[in-house]
């Protein structure tokens, strides 16, 4: 009977060792799969971030171009308004000068 117990204990130890090896192999596979998924997720995230940065840069450049165009348009409108005002004041000055000359020297 003691031989049977010994054989039974050895069989249990052998099964335990096999289970331990199987568990360690599965753990190793799980760790490898997890590492791979983490690396893929990290790569996808980095790619998405680069795409987002490129889109954001393009939007900012577009907004900058639109702003610069609006500023240029406003600038040209202001310049035109100032030129018109200058020409109007210049005509007023000429008319006032003619009036003053006529007033001082008469219609000769």
């Amino acid at each position: 009977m003691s031989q049977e117990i010994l054989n039974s204990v050895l069989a249990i130890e052998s099964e335990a060792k096999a289970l331990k090896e199987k568990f360690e192999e599965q753990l190793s596979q799980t760790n490898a799969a997890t590492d791979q998924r983490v690396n893929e997720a990290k790569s996808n995230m980095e790619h998405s971030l680069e795409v987002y940065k490129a889109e954001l840069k393009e939007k900012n450049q577009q907004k900058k171009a639109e702003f610069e165009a609006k500023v240029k348009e406003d600038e040209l409108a202001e310049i035109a308004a100032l030129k018109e005002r200058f020409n109007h004041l210049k005509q007023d000055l000429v008319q006032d000068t003619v009036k003053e000359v006529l007033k001082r020297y008469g219609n000769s």
Side-chain angles (χ1 to χ4, degrees):
M1 189 166 197
S2 71
Q3 185 62 30
E4 285 180 21
I5 294 175
L6 185 58
N7 287 341
S8 180
V9 169
L10 289 175
I12 291 172
E13 285 179 351
S14 178
E15 279 186 49
K17 185 177 179 183
L19 284 173
K20 181 180 177 185
E21 288 173 358
K22 185 177 178 182
F23 171 78
E24 287 175 353
E25 181 181 336
Q26 287 178 343
L27 182 62
S28 177
Q29 290 173 353
T30 302
N31 285 339
T34 301
D35 288 345
Q36 181 181 359
R37 292 178 84 187
V38 166
N39 288 335
E40 287 175 4
K42 185 177 179 182
S43 176
N44 290 341
M45 181 188 65
E46 288 172 354
H47 175 70
S48 296
L49 185 59
E50 290 301 317
V51 168
Y52 174 73
K53 283 180 182 179
E55 289 173 356
L56 189 60
K57 182 177 181 180
E58 183 179 330
K59 284 180 184 179
N60 285 340
Q61 287 174 342
Q62 183 179 3
K63 285 183 180 181
K64 180 183 176 188
E66 290 171 0
F67 177 74
E68 288 174 347
K70 175 74 170 123
V71 167
K72 186 68 173 175
E73 181 182 319
D74 291 348
E75 178 184 352
L76 292 175
E78 185 69 25
I79 288 170
L82 288 172
K83 282 182 179 180
E84 184 179 327
R85 177 81 174 133
F86 174 79
N87 287 333
H88 179 70
L89 290 174
K90 182 178 168 184
Q91 289 174 359
D92 286 351
L93 178 63
V94 169
Q95 288 175 2
D96 289 346
T97 303
V98 168
K99 284 180 188 177
E100 187 63 31
V101 167
L102 289 175
K103 188 172 158 184
R104 284 190 184 184
Y105 302 106
N107 287 337
S108 309

